[in-house]
Structure formats: structure tokens, C-alpha cells
Amino acid sequence: MIGWLSGIVVHRDARQGVVILNVGGVGYELRVSLQTLAAVGDPDEHCALWVHTHAREDALQLFGFATQAEKQLFLLLTGVPKVGPKHAMAVLGGFPLAELVDHLTQGREVMLTKIPGIGKKTAEQILLSLGDKVAVFADELAGPRPSTPAKAEPESPAIVEEAKQVLVDLGWRVKEVELALAKLTAGGPVTASLDDLVRRTLAQLMER
């Protein structure tokens, strides 16, 4: 079982939530949340991630996390009835980790239902199952800290369109994403990486 990997970034895909690391000449494909993706450097840069190995009858998947705290929360989420790895990663990607834990400990069901794929019943089950468990290590969940700062680059129509596609692929409605992006870019062009623009747009969507 793989618990941690340290290597060189070969590929990072915001739309798929995937990072490929070259570790000793072997390429490991890891599923990551949007929050962890922001902590992953560009191709050819070093990256270290905590790993959970998820084995199924038909597949073996690796999930990567910027911090042990995020991995712990992932394991708690997948322990909730009817919440699998896909839903767990969606929840982790919905908010910065500290903010997510606050929503969980305070029982804010409405915030969880804003995450694509998380309905009222699922949100209720998560809160019912995790409330006390999350409170125990809430102080540890300060959120992922980028080991390599994301590189800022001029925002362009192409980056805006790519950010839109990432969020639509995650389940957000096209019109909602377009409105959120329009609000962010209303003041004119800004400097942002794709990851940063996606996270800022996601924050706008969550405020609705």
C-alpha cells in the first residue's frame, strides 16, 4: 500500500483533477481535489503528496493530498454510508479545508448542498456521521499549504474559458459559472493562474 509519494510533476490536469508524478522513473497517476491541485507545482517541479490507495475489484486508484489532515478527512468522508471517493473529493474541493471543517462542525447543510453532486440527503448523512469526529481534530485542519507557490500569469480569454470548462466539468451550470467569472473580471484583466481563477470563481459560486 502506498502512503506517500515524492517526485517530479509530469502532468497536472485541472479539468480531470489528476496529477502524474515521476517517482524513480515510474509515473503515478493521482486523483486530487482542487485545493490540493493548487499546492502542486508545474511540470518538472518537485512535489510530495500523502496518498490513499483505493482498491476495487475492477480498479486500483491513488488519491493524493497536500496534507495529512486532508487525507484524514477524506477517509472520514468515505466512511459515511453512500459516500464514495468521488463524492469525498468533490466535498474536499468545494472549500478550503479549514472552512470546510467549520461548515461540518457547525452543521451547515446548505453549504454542503452547494457542492455539485451533494444533495440534501447526502449532506444530512455527512453531518450526522462526521460532526463529532471532525471536531476532534479541527485544530489540525489549517488547509493545504502550497509547497510551491502557483505561478501567476496574465489572465486571458483562453484561461477564463478553461476555468469555465473546469467548473462545468465539476457539475456547475454554465450560466452560473459565466456570471461568477463575469463578476471576477468586471474590473478589467487581472493576473491569475488557472488554479487561482478556478478557486476564486468557486468561492463566488459558493456565496450564491
Side-chain angles (χ1 to χ4, degrees):
M1 181 177 293
I2 299 171
W4 183 77
L5 286 173
S6 177
I8 303 300
V9 178
V10 175
H11 177 70
R12 60 199 305 279
D13 188 333
R15 291 180 60 178
Q16 299 297 322
V18 167
V19 171
I20 298 178
L21 290 184
N22 177 351
V23 182
V26 178
Y28 291 88
E29 180 177 297
L30 301 100
R31 299 282 173 178
V32 299
S33 71
L34 282 177
Q35 307 302 330
T36 284
L37 189 66
V40 175
D42 290 332
D44 296 326
E45 293 184 352
H46 179 265
C47 176
L49 295 173
W50 296 94
V51 178
H52 169 70
T53 305
H54 182 70
R56 301 186 318 189
E57 291 183 2
D58 60 340
L60 183 67
Q61 290 182 306
L62 300 179
F63 293 87
F65 310 93
T67 65
Q68 282 184 294
E70 189 187 27
K71 179 180 176 179
Q72 288 175 344
L73 186 50
F74 172 84
L75 295 175
L76 286 177
L77 285 164
T78 54
V80 175
K82 297 184 180 180
V83 176
K86 183 177 180 179
H87 277 147
M89 295 304 280
V91 172
L92 290 172
F95 302 93
L97 206 54
E99 187 177 339
L100 173 60
V101 171
D102 185 54
H103 292 324
L104 292 173
T105 55
Q106 298 300 319
R108 299 190 186 108
E109 176 189 311
V110 67
M111 300 305 292
L112 295 183
T113 57
K114 290 185 177 183
I115 300 171
I118 304 300
K120 181 178 175 62
K121 289 185 178 180
T122 301
E124 289 176 345
Q125 187 63 60
I126 289 173
L127 292 175
L128 181 64
S129 301
L130 298 191
D132 294 338
K133 295 178 182 178
V134 172
V136 172
F137 63 95
D139 291 341
E140 301 175 17
L141 299 178
R145 295 180 180 179
S147 55
T148 304
K151 286 182 172 61
E153 53 191 65
E155 186 176 291
S156 68
I159 290 178
V160 173
E161 185 61 30
E162 192 171 353
K164 169 185 165 183
Q165 193 57 56
V166 168
L167 291 162
V168 170
D169 288 346
L170 287 173
W172 290 96
R173 293 180 180 143
V174 174
K175 191 62 177 179
E176 292 177 330
V177 174
E178 288 177 343
L179 288 172
L181 282 167
K183 185 174 180 179
L184 282 175
T185 58
V190 296
T191 300
S193 66
L194 174 61
D195 296 338
D196 184 49
L197 184 57
V198 168
R199 287 186 292 118
R200 286 163 53 198
T201 308
L202 186 61
Q204 285 285 338
L205 289 165
M206 290 300 182
E207 289 178 0
R208 292 178 174 274

